[in-house]
Amino acid sequence: MRKPCCDKEGNNKGSWSKQEDQKLIDYIATHGEGCWRSIPKAAGLHRCGKSCRLRWINYLRPDIKRGNFAQDEEDLIIKLHALLGNRWSLIAGRLPGRTDNEVKNYWNSHLRKKLIKMGIDPNNHRLNQILPRPQPVDEDTCKSNKSKTDNDRVSDAATSSLEEDETSAGSSHINLDLTIAVPSPAHTANLETRPENCNTAATSEVLQSEKSPTLLLFL
DNA sequence: AAGTGGCTCAACCGCAGCAAG
DNA sequence: ACTTGCTGCGGTTGAGCCACT
């Protein structure tokens, strides 16, 4: 059993004080983001590295956009969630200035309810009234389904919902005709340079679908 | 004004992936 | 090949706020 990283006695927990924030900001301004493990000690903070990282990424980073989500951001989150499932960091990577935590919170507190209200299952983005289409009974499908993770299942459903988007006009009230700005190169690189994502069904679907006009979002 | 129930969001926890030894 | 340590991610929690009764 690995020793937890945050069980060190004397480490602060809970909300951050202004002084702590300032120490972290000052340290990162001088030294940049680096080894989170060593940052607390170097910055004179009684926090674990994990906590520092989270605080910086979710709150202190200068490029964070705070405040309400715009309509196009909402639409994009819904669309991306349909494609990627609960891959909040990937979704947030497509929303400049937004963090995964923020997107996740916004989804759970607003968008889930919104979709439910619209009669859409937030887990698979299907209209609740629509009967699930019959699954092909092929051996490969059976095999792969056995080992599927929740994300993969969501992703399958997402694919279906995308098809529905294209084939059944009016199946959703969401305006998916997004005119969002092209993501910054950093975000694109972020996706491209994440090898761990290459194995996932969701990602491969994304990559495949980049060829289709629907996914200009991902270019 | 007080009670309370729901909501929001910052922060924590545990796990997985990866790299280094 | 295996272990260890670090980072990053997603799920969950809980304090504080707000609206309603």
Side-chain angles (χ1 to χ4, degrees):
Chain A
M1 207 45 189
R2 186 187 299 173
K3 206 173 142 191
C5 83
C6 301
D7 66 347
K8 200 175 149 190
E9 288 203 16
N11 269 358
N12 290 345
K13 277 190 175 185
S15 300
W16 281 62
S17 67
K18 283 195 171 146
Q19 290 88 343
E20 286 178 307
D21 281 347
Q22 200 51 55
K23 278 183 183 177
L24 186 56
I25 291 168
D26 290 345
Y27 181 85
I28 291 177
T30 312
H31 301 91
E33 294 177 43
C35 176
W36 290 110
R37 187 90 168 174
S38 63
I39 281 180
K41 200 179 171 187
L45 289 162
H46 298 289
R47 296 273 180 175
C48 71
K50 226 174 170 176
S51 181
C52 293
R53 179 186 157 270
L54 216 61
R55 183 65 178 171
W56 174 254
I57 288 175
N58 288 331
Y59 201 81
L60 299 176
R61 243 174 31 188
D63 57 334
I64 285 184
K65 192 199 289 181
R66 309 203 69 82
N68 293 340
F69 281 71
Q71 185 60 49
D72 57 351
E73 286 180 305
E74 262 189 30
D75 292 342
L76 186 54
I77 293 170
I78 292 167
K79 183 88 178 172
L80 288 170
H81 187 270
L83 275 168
L84 303 167
N86 295 355
R87 313 279 273 275
W88 304 117
S89 59
L90 284 178
I91 294 173
R94 289 284 155 190
L95 293 157
R98 301 295 187 183
T99 69
D100 53 356
N101 210 32
E102 204 178 1
V103 171
K104 182 170 59 182
N105 282 332
Y106 191 69
W107 173 266
N108 287 327
S109 59
H110 291 92
L111 297 181
R112 262 178 67 87
K113 286 169 197 162
K114 190 174 172 181
L115 290 190
I116 289 168
K117 215 173 175 181
M118 292 164 76
I120 298 168
D121 185 337
N123 296 315
N124 56 22
H125 295 258
R126 286 174 192 271
L127 272 180
N128 284 335
Q129 301 93 305
I130 294 180
L131 290 171
R133 72 178 60 175
Q135 295 295 315
V137 192
D138 102 34
E139 209 182 324
D140 286 343
T141 312
C142 294
K143 267 190 230 162
S144 58
N145 277 348
K146 277 181 192 170
S147 59
K148 278 192 176 185
T149 63
D150 285 349
N151 271 338
D152 294 336
R153 284 193 293 273
V154 168
S155 183
D156 283 352
T159 309
S160 306
S161 88
L162 269 184
E163 287 164 10
E164 282 165 16
D165 284 342
E166 288 162 5
T167 55
S168 59
S171 67
S172 161
H173 296 92
I174 305 163
N175 173 18
L176 294 174
D177 183 19
L178 298 171
T179 51
I180 195 106
V182 176
S184 68
H187 287 109
T188 310
N190 193 27
L191 264 185
E192 285 168 356
T193 56
R194 286 169 174 262
E196 74 267 24
N197 298 323
C198 297
N199 308 341
T200 65
T203 307
S204 64
E205 281 165 14
V206 170
L207 292 175
Q208 281 174 8
S209 46
E210 279 182 2
K211 293 162 196 162
S212 88
T214 320
L215 304 159
L216 287 172
L217 287 169
F218 293 86
L219 293 174

